[in-house]
Amino acid sequence: MNGERSTAAMSTGFYYLKSPNARASLKSFKYSGTDDSYLYKIILSPLAGFLVDNFTPSTIAPNTITLFGFCFMIIALLLTFWLCPNLDDEDAPRWMFLYFGIAMLIYQTLDNMDGKQARKTGSSSPLGLLFDHGCDALNVSCGINIILCTCAVARSNVVLIFWTMISPQIPFYMASWEESYTHTLYLPTLNGPNEGVLLASLMCFVSGVLGTSFWELFHLYDSLPTVLAGVIPKLNNGEMMVYVGLVLSFREMLAKMIFVAKRHGVQSWSTLAPLVLNSALWGVVVTKQPDLFERNVRTCLNISGLLLFEMVTQVMFDHMTKQRNNPIRWVMLPLIYFCLAMDDMDDAGQDLFLVSYLVGLFVFLSMKVFLIIHECCCCLEIYCFDIVTKYQSLCEKEEQAPEKKNK
């Protein structure tokens, strides 16, 4: 009787998991993934396995490992605000870039360890996958800020900042989008979580040793074959890295679009609307009001990063719960309005709108994350950061409280 009352109380307390089918789908969800990276197979995976088997206590929750690794990236992001506020600060200390590189490698290693810890302790869960994916999405935003500081991209070069911003967002969203149709997360031979993070960390080490002025030189362009050099405009080292990454991102996007369309039809492309719209809206801002973007570059980067986080986690959540993914993301409405009205605003009004949007978006997503984690814990009967304590529902805790008082 108590169990029935507990279940009934739980079923009425859901918002994102209010459908019984969604809760049943979440409980039965099984992750499937393939990583064809040789770097991952030969080095990263064995290293993570060694660390988990020999140095990681079985009492540590996988999500704790994920969050611990993400803290290194948060510290790196805060350092960019403190020591590199203008993105191209020449007096930024070199030790900061060395820390950036170390933080990326630590996050990458711990990100590989959490899944192995989950299998080692038998605590694998859909919540762990969603939590890991959410941290990865936020890490993309941290990485963009770090790379812009590392390459000393001038605020005035808003076009390069724009391409640097959307370049890593494209493959990240596409991987989750493809998984929602194929039910398997596929990472190709060269991919962002492995080779991409390693390359970004090496760029940080280069800036730490040689200084950010290295990226203003033309070593990479000068090494191109004569045929390519005659076609490609002269680009410095930093610009070459950005545009090569952009080309690879679009190539992966097209490959996944074709692959999914062959199996599910071109109507599947409709769920790409959030990614396309997010990129297009910022393209409008950069094109029509470059001074606005330059003046609020940090705010714009963070808004775009939070929007990526919202759309990616929603795709994953809908996939795990077998709910229809709505490509209309209401959190983008303020950005749409801003693009339509920004020409009629003065500088102070534009700045205030963007800051207010960022704060409101952060508060909303914080509440959404808390609710989804809470509902997943209730549905799966687990804790997010504790795999030792036996789960108790709120009703069970309330029922036990009077017993303890009577004792």
Side-chain angles (χ1 to χ4, degrees):
M1 189 69 179
N2 290 341
E4 293 176 359
R5 186 165 68 251
S6 173
T7 303
M10 284 173 55
S11 64
T12 59
F14 289 105
Y15 178 78
Y16 292 99
L17 285 171
K18 53 190 170 188
S19 167
N21 291 333
R23 296 195 292 275
S25 299
L26 184 68
K27 291 180 180 180
S28 61
F29 177 81
K30 299 296 181 184
Y31 169 73
S32 173
T34 301
D35 192 334
D36 285 342
S37 167
Y38 291 107
L39 176 65
Y40 176 79
K41 293 178 180 179
I42 298 174
I43 299 177
L44 300 181
S45 181
L47 172 62
F50 174 79
L51 294 175
V52 167
D53 293 337
N54 294 278
F55 299 101
T56 309
S58 298
T59 54
I60 297 180
N63 289 341
T64 302
I65 297 176
T66 307
L67 184 61
F68 181 63
F70 185 57
C71 287
F72 285 90
M73 297 302 296
I74 291 295
I75 293 173
L77 178 63
L78 294 176
L79 286 175
T80 67
F81 283 98
W82 179 29
L83 300 173
C84 187
N86 297 316
L87 298 180
D88 58 348
D89 299 81
E90 295 181 357
D91 57 344
R94 292 193 179 186
W95 64 262
M96 178 183 71
F97 302 112
L98 297 176
Y99 174 80
F100 289 167
I102 294 172
M104 286 184 175
L105 294 179
I106 290 176
Y107 179 81
Q108 182 186 58
T109 302
L110 293 175
D111 191 42
N112 290 326
M113 288 173 58
D114 55 13
K116 297 184 183 300
Q117 175 74 351
R119 288 185 285 275
K120 170 186 171 182
T121 58
S123 57
S124 299
S125 71
L127 174 60
L129 174 62
L130 187 63
F131 188 87
D132 177 83
H133 217 63
C135 287
D136 288 342
L138 292 174
N139 186 55
V140 171
S141 182
C142 294
I144 292 170
N145 281 272
I146 289 171
I147 291 301
L148 288 172
C149 287
T150 298
C151 294
V153 177
R155 278 176 176 258
S156 58
N157 195 347
V158 293
V159 174
L160 188 64
I161 293 176
F162 169 73
W163 290 126
T164 306
M165 180 177 73
I166 70 167
S167 179
Q169 292 182 354
I170 292 173
F172 189 84
Y173 183 89
M174 293 304 299
S176 302
W177 175 79
E178 181 187 43
E179 182 184 2
S180 68
Y181 286 97
T182 63
H183 309 294
T184 298
L185 178 63
Y186 173 69
L187 297 177
T189 305
L190 297 176
N191 61 71
N194 297 310
E195 289 78 12
V197 171
L198 179 61
L199 179 60
S201 64
L202 289 176
M203 292 172 65
C204 295
F205 289 137
V206 168
S207 291
V209 175
L210 302 179
T212 57
S213 59
F214 170 83
W215 302 107
E216 299 174 1
L217 303 178
F218 296 88
H219 298 89
L220 298 179
Y221 182 85
D222 293 339
S223 64
L224 289 175
T226 306
V227 177
L228 290 177
V231 178
I232 300 174
K234 192 164 187 178
L235 303 171
N236 62 36
N237 294 339
E239 293 168 338
M240 283 286 290
M241 296 298 293
V242 171
Y243 287 118
V244 168
L246 186 65
V247 170
L248 294 176
S249 295
F250 277 112
R251 186 207 67 81
E252 185 170 349
M253 180 179 184
L254 291 174
K256 290 185 182 298
M257 287 175 64
I258 294 172
F259 179 79
V260 172
K262 285 182 178 179
R263 289 156 179 78
H264 300 276
V266 293
Q267 64 270 18
S268 60
W269 293 354
S270 64
T271 48
L272 289 174
L275 175 68
V276 175
L277 185 60
N278 184 40
S279 302
L281 291 174
W282 290 116
V284 170
V285 174
V286 168
T287 303
K288 294 182 64 178
Q289 296 266 4
D291 292 339
L292 182 158
F293 190 85
E294 178 184 347
R295 193 172 64 250
N296 297 279
V297 61
R298 291 286 195 166
T299 305
C300 294
L301 289 174
N302 291 327
I303 291 174
S304 179
L306 289 179
L307 290 175
L308 174 73
F309 168 79
E310 197 276 340
M311 66 177 78
V312 166
T313 52
Q314 191 64 52
V315 167
M316 286 299 300
F317 184 73
D318 291 338
H319 168 55
M320 293 190 298
T321 57
K322 295 184 179 179
Q323 299 183 92
R324 176 183 172 275
N325 178 251
N326 184 3
I328 300 175
R329 307 311 309 153
W330 299 108
V331 291
M332 289 189 180
L333 282 180
L335 184 58
I336 296 174
Y337 169 80
F338 181 73
C339 288
L340 296 174
M342 61 183 177
D343 291 338
D344 299 325
M345 300 179 182
D346 58 16
D347 290 355
Q350 293 172 342
D351 299 350
L352 179 61
F353 185 95
L354 288 174
V355 171
S356 300
Y357 183 27
L358 175 60
V359 172
L361 187 59
F362 178 80
V363 172
F364 166 73
L365 290 179
S366 298
M367 295 172 62
K368 181 179 179 179
V369 167
F370 175 81
L371 285 175
I372 288 181
I373 290 177
H374 173 70
E375 292 182 15
C376 287
C377 288
C378 291
C379 178
L380 301 172
E381 298 186 342
I382 59 174
Y383 292 113
C384 187
F385 299 108
D386 186 353
I387 60 174
V388 177
T389 307
K390 185 178 182 295
Y391 180 81
Q392 286 184 309
S393 68
L394 182 61
C395 293
E396 291 173 333
K397 291 179 180 178
E398 290 177 349
E399 290 170 358
Q400 290 182 5
E403 297 178 5
K404 291 181 179 179
K405 288 182 179 180
N406 293 333
K407 291 182 180 179

